[in-house]
Amino acid sequence: MPEPASPAPPTRSVVLVGMPGCGKSSIGRRLAARLGLPFVDADTEIEAAAGLPITEIFTRYGEPHFRDGERRVIARLLAGPPLVLATGGGAFTDARTRAAVARSGAVAVWLRCTLPVLLRRVAGREHRPLFLNRDPREVLERLMTARHPTFAEANVTVDCTDEPPETTTRKVMEALAAHREPARLPVRLGARSYDVLVGQGLLARAGALLAPVLPARRLVVVTDAAVAPLHLPRLLAGLAEAGIAVAATITVPPGEASKCFAELERVVTEALAAGADRRTAVLALGGGVVGDLAGFAAAVALRGLPFIQVPTTLLAQVDSSVGGKTGINLALGKNLVGAFHQPQIVLADTDVLATLPPRELRAGYAEVAKHGLLQGALWSWCEAEGARAVAGDPAALAHAVLESCRLKAGVVAADEREESAEGGRALLNLGHTFGHALEAERGFDGTLLHGEAVAVGLGLAAALSARLGHSSQELPGRVISHLQECGLPARIGDIPGGFSAARLLARMRKDKKVRDGAMRFVLLRGPGDAFTTAEVPAAAVESLLRDEGCGA
């Protein structure tokens, strides 16, 4: 069988972790030769640094002293040029050592073996301190139970059998060549800072990705009845691999109607009844509705629980999962009750977007278009490539998610609580003053999706900007045409049923952005040039709505 090509000249170290007998040294030497890197055995380096065998270090000074020295040696080695490093069986179980490996940028590879394979490989090692006068099976079972959850935090996992070392080495090479780290976008909020991870296959690795940020390996999952059959099993398997216990899985009905006091009370009650305490995280698996509801439940339960966002819709991945806005709706309007409660981390697995119905995908794209109009260059991309995204092209969707999250992370970091006198985070409401009013008029009954309402709102915001002389007269046509070409409604006439201009205006006057009784709008001078203003005559808004087909 031909050998796979090596990854392009290695610029990162490779750290091998695993149980005694998994073959870290034998595989490491072969791997280093294939990659053209030096091979180093951490235990040998530790003994050289201490001038003592590891068994004597343990005997004289105890395990804490050994682990501290081990961590310092590993950090020193990884601070130098790239190498292949075989670690001792317990090295990766130390949280500070795992953090040092992560900070170095090395790729950690778990050589995972089953118990029967390990038993055969450790035969004849009974004289070693680990197995001295002990049953090897009992020792290995205990170590596997304790160590596997932390080994699961490695970047890559390779299952090893009784195959020849050359075969395992080839598998490691293939795994390294295929491995892609998720993009990691920081949301910088001081002590509340967190990362947004965007990439493929994140649900399956959820436990490994979440473990470093969880206060305890225990959480409550909130999802909805449509999402659970599609994605919950993969999430639960990924959590279990890293030893993260799920105290309860709470399922709510899909749709905007679940953002209500009754469902909020049920989620909080079920979480607390399952034993959630202040170190138990609440994980939202779903779209914007689940994220808003679960996040608000996390904010108010026990005066605040850790919160994790795992968005499964395009709309949630590009918008609602980032920024910490949580809440529920009232009959008066959308998101009128809520809290700012930032997540610990956001996992945006772009693979899940393949399961979205076309209408949901299109609705999510409306928020991408909004971000494009705010950023400018992204709008040019939308006009050129947006049709590919709504058609489900994975590369186009990944770009849309990554660039939208990049924009929103920067805006949120600059104005977390939407307190800026002008502009700031309020700009993210482009199209939403109109859109929320349209949604509320439909009673959040699912006949008008949030993204569809936002798309119509973007068309109205562009039209109002042109009417008031802020933008070119051709801008509304560009915005409306692009959204309609992507299968979205962009004018009130695109929504079945009629609306009353007076009722929509009444809704807008109850919007969260109203200040001192004055409606505030986000308007455009052009793509990449948005601003907030209260200098919008109500008569101009009413005239626009009437011209768009609204009744009195």
Side-chain angles (χ1 to χ4, degrees), residues 3 7 25 83 87 129 182 196-197 206 216 238 268 275 318 338 358 368 451 474 480 495 509 515 530:
E3 298 294 340
S25 295
L83 74 164
T87 62
V196 180
L197 272 58
V268 172
V318 302
V368 179
E474 58 92 25
I480 290 168
I495 305 172
R509 289 191 175 102
R515 289 185 187 175

Side-chain angles (χ1 to χ4, degrees), residues 474-548:
E474 58 92 25
L475 179 64
R478 281 179 65 188
V479 173
I480 290 168
S481 294
H482 176 64
L483 294 171
Q484 289 177 334
E485 286 167 3
C486 289
L488 283 161
R491 308 186 69 166
I492 288 179
D494 296 337
I495 305 172
F499 292 91
S500 157
R503 288 181 62 84
L504 288 175
L505 274 168
R507 296 282 188 188
M508 285 187 265
R509 289 191 175 102
K510 293 183 174 64
D511 189 86
K512 302 186 302 301
K513 296 177 289 301
V514 168
R515 289 185 187 175
D516 301 321
M519 294 185 294
R520 295 181 64 79
F521 289 85
V522 183
L523 299 180
L524 294 161
R525 297 184 185 93
D529 191 359
F531 65 99
T532 57
T533 181
E535 302 298 320
V536 178
V541 180
E542 182 176 7
S543 174
L544 172 62
L545 294 174
R546 295 293 294 271
D547 289 348
E548 284 291 307

